[in-house]
Amino acid sequence: MFNIFGSKPKNYENLDGTTFRTRYQSAAKAELLDVRTADEFAGGSIKGAKNLDVSSSQFQQALKTMDKDKEYFVFCRSGNRSGSACDIMSKEGFKAHNLAGGIGAWPR
């Protein structure tokens, strides 16, 4: 069928906060990635998250050294940057999940 809107299928999942946390905690090999800036990360993040700023030049470089056997649970402030990060990662062969709504959607 024709794709008249030009949208592309996503190769990653957008998950609500509860599903995101549950899948992260139950995955055999999982990594939690905060793709905000270092300043945002320093201001507070989810316990256990690693910071890898999707807007930095190091992001693409870091992907070359990351384990593709892991599942990556990715978040930012609102879910937009992490969605972009998941898109890039999935194109590189990573299994990535986006926290829809961003860090505020993480269950307390």
Side-chain angles (χ1 to χ4, degrees):
M1 196 78 208
F2 298 107
N3 184 355
I4 60 173
F5 299 109
S7 63
K8 298 175 187 173
K10 286 187 280 189
N11 293 319
Y12 65 89
E13 291 181 285
N14 285 314
L15 303 175
D16 65 79
T18 301
T19 305
F20 184 91
R21 183 172 74 178
T22 301
R23 291 236 195 127
Y24 168 66
Q25 291 173 336
S26 64
K29 292 177 74 178
E31 189 149 340
L32 194 56
L33 281 183
D34 183 335
V35 295
R36 298 176 301 159
T37 65
D39 285 345
E40 289 174 303
F41 182 75
S45 189
I46 298 171
K47 185 177 179 181
K50 293 183 178 180
N51 185 219
L52 182 58
D53 183 354
V54 69
S55 63
S56 74
S57 60
Q58 288 84 23
F59 185 79
Q60 291 282 351
Q61 282 299 113
L63 293 181
K64 295 176 183 173
T65 63
M66 292 166 54
D67 185 353
K68 289 187 178 176
D69 291 332
K70 289 184 177 180
E71 288 185 54
Y72 291 90
F73 293 81
V74 185
F75 66 94
C76 64
R77 185 181 57 79
S78 67
N80 289 328
R81 284 177 284 176
S82 53
S84 296
C86 286
D87 188 47
I88 294 166
M89 292 175 75
S90 66
K91 287 177 181 171
E92 295 292 326
F94 292 95
K95 186 168 186 173
H97 310 281
N98 182 34
L99 177 56
I103 192 170
W106 179 260
R108 305 271 172 213

